[in-house]
Amino acid sequence: MTVTATLDLLGLPASRTARRAVAYAVLGVVPALLGVPALALLALGGVLCVTRAGAPVLSLVLTAVRGLTAVHRALLRGLLGEDVPAPPGPAPLRAATDAAAWRCAAYAVLDAPLGVLLLAVQVPVRLYGLVLLSYPVWFGAVRQNGHRGLELTGTVPLDSWPRALAVAAAGLVLLAAAGWAGRRLVALVRLLARTLLAPPPRDLTGRVQDLEETRALAVRDSAATLRRIERDLHDGAQARLIALAMALTRAKEALRAPEPSPADTAKARELVEQSLGTARTALGELRDLVRGIHPPVLDKGLAPALASLRSDMESPSLRVEVRTALAAGPRPPEEVETLAYFCAAELLTNAARHAGAGRVTLDARIEGEARNRVLVLVVEDDGRGGAAPAPAAPGGSSGLRGLSERARTVDGTLSLDSPLGGPTTATVRLPFAPRGETST
């Protein structure tokens, strides 16, 4: 066990995750306490339901509560790494009949005492434990009722080294208990957020419809890929190989005589050299074709593959920066890594060719825990902006629309923020189960 993990177990937030949990406890108490007036306003709206003003008041309060839970989502995402998508919003003044809004209200109410308890455990209790742990250092500087140090229950002075060390041991136990309780409370916060703030699971009919749509997208993408491979083979490698066979045949004819003339020998040599060049070109086209199906660099992992994209795209007029945080988490399945690689390549190409960008940043990371992991790609450029998914070309998917459709085949999403004048930020989220596990 590392030193950092040991300190975390002892209640001393040494790791980045533990420090973020403490920061969440401090910052999250503000929106948590706002759940108390939200409960009062909901009760007022319930009382007013006997009048015509009841439903509008409830709708306004529930709309405000949904805005409050948006703050919770931002804190959960930024500090705890828990990305909870927001459910679709109701129609204006119809929040009173929206089940998602009432779940948000339930979360706001439950989070009020939970947030206060989490803050108490993460900050005051830890500080008190640290004070007790450091008691042997400063007890000699305190005088109380003629004794060094403090007194226990007003009758037992803690004025000796054995008693001071016992106080320090109690402080260490208190710190460990605070660390354990803090982790359990943070896990409870995550559970409540996933249960109450996330969109409700779709019914069976909706899920079947979604699977039918994504299956159709996958079939269409596979058909377009097969057509592209057939076209590239027919127009590229196949034509090169035919030219190679014809050149070798002509060289054979030039050398058919038992003693070919110097002119025939020179012609045959020229044809063989031409054939070698044609063979090299055909091999290069076949390599490019294979790379378009499954890039061999992905065998080394997604991070090296993305780094290779930087070397391919970078130029004197375009600076590409790649940041990856993939090593700590489990490796995504092969199909997710392949999709992420092609999404990154397409987004970088768009930024270089169409956005007029001078700097592009690619950020790849894994969010979530256990079976709720998501591979996130964020590509940001300083180009002219105004990008939008165009309709797919007949016979296949292309561009941003094609990326969005390919992401849907693994229940992923592509979101785009590209105001006129820039910058442009494209975010691809691909959920996955780690290799060796079967997603359900």
Side-chain angles (χ1 to χ4, degrees):
M1 182 180 294
T2 64
V3 176
T4 300
T6 303
L7 292 176
D8 284 341
L9 288 176
L10 294 179
L12 299 172
S15 67
R16 184 181 181 185
T17 301
R19 292 195 298 269
R20 284 177 173 266
V22 175
Y24 175 83
V26 175
L27 297 177
V29 73
V30 177
L33 290 177
L34 292 178
V36 177
L39 176 60
L41 291 174
L42 286 174
L44 176 62
V47 172
L48 292 177
C49 278
V50 297
T51 67
R52 292 184 177 180
V57 170
L58 275 178
S59 295
L60 290 174
V61 173
L62 289 172
T63 301
V65 168
R66 284 177 66 101
L68 180 63
T69 54
V71 179
H72 284 287
R73 288 189 182 90
L75 290 174
L76 287 166
R77 184 184 306 110
L79 296 177
L80 299 185
E82 187 73 37
D83 187 22
V84 182
L93 298 180
R94 295 296 300 274
T97 59
D98 181 46
W102 283 104
R103 288 199 305 273
C104 291
Y107 178 86
V109 172
L110 293 175
D111 189 61
L114 183 60
V116 173
L117 180 60
L118 180 60
L119 176 66
V121 168
Q122 294 282 44
V123 180
V125 174
R126 287 179 186 269
L127 290 177
Y128 190 72
L130 285 174
V131 170
L132 295 182
L133 183 62
S134 63
Y135 185 71
V137 177
W138 54 267
F139 82 97
V142 178
R143 293 286 179 175
Q144 185 176 5
N145 297 329
H147 299 282
R148 293 188 307 166
L150 304 177
E151 291 186 355
L152 183 64
T153 67
T155 57
V156 180
L158 303 174
D159 57 352
S160 64
W161 277 104
R163 293 179 178 180
L165 293 176
V167 171
L172 191 60
V173 171
L174 185 61
L175 281 173
W180 178 87
R183 290 189 293 273
R184 300 286 80 77
L185 290 174
V186 167
L188 181 57
V189 168
R190 293 177 183 272
L191 177 62
L192 280 178
R194 290 193 295 266
T195 304
L196 297 177
L197 295 186
R202 301 184 66 180
D203 57 14
L204 182 59
T205 302
R207 182 57 177 164
V208 169
Q209 181 181 359
D210 188 61
L211 289 175
E212 288 177 346
E213 292 177 358
T214 55
R215 183 186 64 179
L217 292 174
V219 171
R220 188 173 71 180
D221 183 69
S222 298
T225 301
L226 289 175
R227 284 194 297 270
R228 177 180 60 82
I229 294 173
E230 181 182 5
R231 182 182 65 249
D232 292 344
L233 285 174
H234 182 272
D235 298 340
Q238 180 176 331
R240 303 287 183 188
L241 292 175
I242 293 175
L244 173 64
M246 294 176 61
L248 291 176
T249 301
R250 292 169 60 191
K252 178 182 177 181
E253 292 293 334
L255 299 175
R256 182 180 295 274
E259 296 182 1
S261 65
D264 290 338
T265 303
K267 181 179 178 181
R269 183 181 296 108
E270 180 182 354
L271 289 171
V272 170
E273 291 178 356
Q274 179 183 346
S275 299
L276 286 174
T278 303
R280 294 190 185 96
T281 303
L283 285 174
E285 291 177 349
L286 288 174
R287 289 194 190 97
D288 293 338
L289 183 62
V290 171
R291 190 180 298 112
I293 300 172
H294 176 75
V297 71
L298 273 177
D299 296 336
K300 302 177 182 179
L302 183 57
L306 296 178
S308 70
L309 286 177
R310 177 183 59 185
S311 60
D312 293 339
M313 298 296 302
E314 205 160 30
S315 67
S317 60
L318 179 64
R319 178 187 173 192
V320 180
E321 180 181 355
V322 177
R323 297 192 296 263
T324 57
L326 307 173
R331 186 171 179 180
E334 181 179 347
E335 61 273 13
V336 174
E337 285 190 339
T338 303
L339 179 55
Y341 175 84
F342 285 122
C343 286
E346 179 73 20
L347 292 172
L348 289 175
T349 301
N350 287 343
R353 293 182 180 177
H354 308 300
R359 181 176 181 273
V360 183
T361 301
L362 170 61
D363 184 11
R365 61 184 182 273
I366 293 178
E367 296 181 351
E369 295 180 353
R371 298 179 62 83
N372 297 312
R373 294 182 175 91
V374 180
L375 175 59
V376 182
L377 294 176
V378 181
V379 178
E380 183 176 359
D381 67 72
D382 59 356
R384 63 177 64 95
S397 298
S398 62
L400 296 173
R401 175 66 61 86
L403 289 184
S404 178
E405 292 179 349
R406 294 186 70 179
R408 285 191 61 194
T409 60
V410 294
D411 287 337
T413 59
L414 167 65
S415 59
L416 191 67
D417 181 16
S418 183
L420 288 176
T424 296
T425 302
T427 304
V428 180
R429 305 184 63 85
L430 304 175
F432 69 92
R435 296 191 180 193
E437 298 183 14
T438 303
S439 59
T440 57

